[in-house]
Amino acid sequence: MITVTRRYAFSASHRLHSPLLADEANRELFGKCNNPFGHGHNYQLEVTVRGPVDATTGLAVDRETLDRLVRHAVLEHVESKDLNRDVPAFAGHYIPTTENLSLEIFQMLERSWRSEFKGDLPVLEKVRIEETARNIFEVHAHGQA
Ligand code: NI
């Protein structure tokens, strides 16, 4: 078995605001990320898959298939979007922190995985998002909340 990671990029905006907290508490907790007008990030998304190396091709994953899956299952839903408003999972429910975004993207990939990859392999191993150079988030298979 080997793991293979592909890197993608998308831009989106969000506003961090918890409906469970008062406005003042939101401002204290999230600071300028609570700005009512939101703000944008250039997210780096890494998708890691795990599988055996095929004896004929020497490959563990068909990159075109993975790219198509990531594009249809994730990128088309988040690219240039307002995450609070445009991604159903966050509309009025969850706060689009990159913690929650990472978990949601993992699930978006899992939901579409079998429609692209036939059979049991490769499997989705990890989703990693760099929100900024200093803020990095990972979701591992079997390690989801
Ligand atoms: Ni932010």
Side-chain angles (χ1 to χ4, degrees), residues 14-16 33 39-41 43 96 98 131-132:
H14 68 175
R15 180 198 182 203
L16 303 185
C33 292
H39 60 277
H41 290 286
Y43 296 93
T98 307
E131 179 192 61
T132 68

Side-chain angles (χ1 to χ4, degrees), residues 37-55:
F37 301 106
H39 60 277
H41 290 286
N42 295 316
Y43 296 93
Q44 297 285 325
L45 166 66
E46 289 178 8
V47 177
T48 299
V49 309
R50 178 170 50 83
V53 177
D54 183 271

